[in-house]
Amino acid sequence: MADNLLDSVRVDELRARFGGPVVTPTMPEYEDVRAVFNSMITARPSVIARCGSVSDVKTALEFARGNGLEVAVRSGGHSVAGASLVEAGLVIDVRPMADVAVDPAQRTVRLGGGATWAAVDRQSQRYGLATTGGRVSTTGVAGLALGGGSGWLERKFGLTCDNLLSVELVTADGQEVSANEYENSELFWALHGGGGNFGVATSLLLRLHPLEQFSMALLLWPAEAGRAVAGSYREFIAGAPDEIGGGLIYLTGPSEEFVPRELTDVLCCAVLVTFTGPEPELREHIAPLLDAEPPGRLITDIPYAQLQCMLDDPPGYRNYWSDEHLVTLSDEALDRFCERARDMIVPSPSQQVLLPWAGAVAGGADWPGFHRDATWAVHPLGLWEDPADDGRARAWVRNLRADMRPWASGDVYLNFIGDEGADRVRAGYGEENYGRLARVKARYDPTNVFNRWHNVLPETEGEPLAGAH
């Protein structure tokens, strides 16, 4: 192989057996098909196989094996770690497998491995139903669900993986496997946070919940009011019902009608409150926050799917994210959180987010993802344009994490982070769960073909298998 190009004869052989498009670097559409959410990810695969069926997935895997190609799997392409691409390898792009079918009687939704939350949210909303999804609509359902799935509805309905009922998977050797409570139950457990370590998810079944009414409030203050607002928000959440979601967010004041001119394009402190109920009841709940007289306020009934689309960030920015979970949120922790926001790049889409958990998150099942006793998540979400700002953005994220460590639980939600090393992957699961995942990995992917998503190494009896990457 030279210059990231495979021999055209071999690619033509793949095309002859493949139902969907096969895209290579010499083709005009390659750059558009290759582009992912994080523009810092520059890997250039040799082949992008756009799978329209399970048969295509199996054919692509067979081709990769036969040609010694590393494999990446792409659904939404939002992985900040770059799991959706692989240098000089083959991408199994399942975005064409994006069908969504809601069963309102059973309150379930079945979707293809390439579906995004926009389609799931809109289809479910037609029947007054919803489930916990990503905080933007363009996120791939499979990546979020298999990685755990944190979203605005989690305090009421649990994480996305808490609502995962079954998965259809193609394993590294091309076998079709069903995983649910009754079939391959150990694999099913592993898919509740273990991500793309075990195969290509071609279909998922999720539980839906009634959601007839939904409302939100976005309240803005100048950054210098942030510490007082943060204290009020902590007190507000302590007494809030599980129907309340949202978070405290430092951000660049948006250019919107409800935002005063003096708060536009400058650092602001915001509180987003989501509510699985009507706007008049929401106003009653947030009365203590309104007493703090936010200069910018938007309080309204809104379809849940519309809220998700409102928060979409465009692709193409440089991204660097991370995460710390807090067992307690002391005054000193709030002081440090608010002080660190001064290091954000402004104006930019970057956000410094404090998310409240508890509720249904704390009451969920014992899946392999992050430990559920954390009450808060600190999530620096860096998005910027100029490569000259790379060092500054990374320093802000790392320094905020360091600020929070005295109150941190030590675990991590892996969907919130990039490549932070093997120790952080283990922290995301804990040693006992990591060992259990490694044994599942050894059964379904013994040679570690699927190694791009916060990799779990295959092992038996505590020893990595020979031949694993």
Side-chain angles (χ1 to χ4, degrees):
M1 188 188 307
D3 298 326
N4 206 34
L5 298 177
L6 278 174
D7 180 88
S8 61
V9 173
R10 286 184 287 169
V11 174
D12 286 344
E13 289 174 354
L14 172 61
R15 288 194 175 102
R17 298 186 293 118
F18 198 78
V22 175
V23 180
T24 57
T26 59
M27 299 171 66
E29 63 266 40
Y30 176 82
E31 293 300 336
D32 286 341
V33 174
R34 187 205 68 86
V36 290
F37 189 75
N38 183 2
S39 65
M40 294 181 77
I41 305 301
T42 58
R44 297 181 63 79
S46 293
V47 182
I48 302 175
R50 308 210 66 196
C51 301
S53 66
V54 173
S55 177
D56 279 351
V57 173
K58 296 166 72 172
T59 299
L61 280 168
E62 181 184 0
F63 182 82
R65 286 196 305 271
N67 289 278
L69 296 174
E70 289 280 330
V71 169
V73 182
R74 174 165 189 173
S75 177
H78 273 238
S79 164
V80 70
S84 301
L85 294 178
V86 59
E87 182 67 35
L90 181 142
V91 173
I92 296 175
D93 185 346
V94 297
R95 283 179 291 174
M97 301 173 67
D99 290 347
V100 173
V102 173
D103 185 334
Q106 296 297 317
R107 292 180 180 170
T108 61
V109 56
R110 184 173 295 279
L111 53 108
T116 64
W117 282 106
V120 171
D121 293 338
R122 289 168 183 161
Q123 291 289 339
S124 302
Q125 188 169 275
R126 293 172 54 196
Y127 303 98
L129 300 169
T131 197
T132 304
R135 290 182 171 86
V136 296
S137 72
T138 53
T139 302
V141 177
L144 188 96
L146 302 184
S150 176
W152 300 127
L153 300 178
E154 64 197 2
R155 281 166 51 91
K156 178 64 175 174
F157 300 141
L159 303 174
T160 310
C161 72
D162 294 332
N163 296 287
L164 182 63
L165 299 175
S166 70
V167 182
E168 302 297 316
L169 202 73
V170 177
T171 60
D173 60 358
Q175 300 300 307
E176 297 179 51
V177 175
S178 297
N180 53 56
E181 184 181 357
Y182 308 103
E183 299 177 89
N184 301 299
S185 58
E186 189 69 357
L187 174 61
F188 186 55
W189 172 85
L191 292 171
H192 287 71
N197 272 293
F198 310 100
V200 183
T202 57
S203 176
L204 298 88
L205 182 69
L206 295 173
R207 179 187 299 111
L208 298 174
H209 304 267
L211 186 62
E212 296 288 350
Q213 293 181 296
F214 189 78
S215 54
M216 56 84 70
L218 182 58
L219 313 176
L220 261 71
W221 292 264
E224 54 267 26
R227 177 58 182 85
V229 171
S232 298
Y233 181 71
R234 178 182 58 183
E235 184 176 347
F236 160 73
I237 283 294
D242 295 347
E243 288 78 9
I244 293 286
L248 177 86
I249 310 169
Y250 278 94
L251 46 67
T252 298
S255 180
E256 299 287 350
E257 187 174 325
F258 73 96
V259 180
R261 182 173 299 177
E262 63 271 18
L263 295 186
T264 300
D265 287 338
V266 300
L267 183 65
C268 294
C269 179
V271 170
L272 174 66
V273 182
T274 62
F275 180 54
T276 56
E279 180 261 354
E281 289 184 29
L282 172 61
R283 284 185 180 270
E284 293 178 14
H285 285 296
I286 65 173
L289 296 174
L290 296 178
D291 287 343
E293 299 181 344
R297 61 180 73 185
L298 174 64
I299 308 170
T300 184
D301 287 312
I302 185 172
Y304 171 68
Q306 184 178 337
L307 170 71
Q308 295 292 79
C309 295
M310 281 175 57
L311 300 172
D312 288 352
D313 288 315
Y317 284 99
R318 304 174 75 78
N319 283 245
Y320 191 73
W321 315 343
S322 197
D323 176 45
E324 284 291 342
H325 296 169
L326 309 185
V327 176
T328 184
L329 185 60
S330 67
D331 286 344
E332 187 179 354
L334 275 183
D335 290 344
R336 293 191 187 183
F337 178 84
C338 295
E339 288 168 4
R340 187 57 64 186
R342 293 177 301 184
D343 294 341
M344 289 174 56
I345 296 172
V346 177
S348 82
S350 295
Q351 299 179 8
Q352 181 172 303
V353 186
L354 182 64
L355 295 169
W357 273 336
V361 175
D366 183 24
W367 304 122
F370 62 80
H371 310 290
R372 294 181 184 251
D373 57 354
T375 54
W376 295 89
V378 171
H379 181 29
L381 186 71
L383 297 93
W384 68 99
E385 292 183 281
D386 190 346
D389 287 327
D390 288 0
R392 176 183 169 190
R394 288 193 179 104
W396 157 61
V397 169
R398 292 168 179 164
N399 289 337
L400 179 60
R401 278 193 58 211
D403 291 342
M404 296 295 104
R405 283 195 189 113
W407 304 276
S409 64
D411 64 322
V412 59
Y413 172 44
L414 294 173
N415 273 357
F416 274 175
I417 73 170
D419 183 0
E420 297 182 5
D423 288 345
R424 283 282 270 174
V425 174
R426 287 180 175 268
Y429 300 119
E431 286 302 318
E432 182 177 348
N433 281 346
Y434 183 90
R436 186 175 170 185
L437 287 168
R439 291 187 289 276
V440 177
K441 178 82 168 182
R443 179 176 177 183
Y444 292 96
D445 184 18
T447 60
N448 201 23
V449 170
F450 302 108
N451 58 56
R452 301 289 298 153
W453 192 95
H454 299 303
N455 192 212
V456 172
L457 294 175
E459 61 181 52
T460 56
E461 302 302 325
E463 294 295 331
L465 290 180
H469 290 77

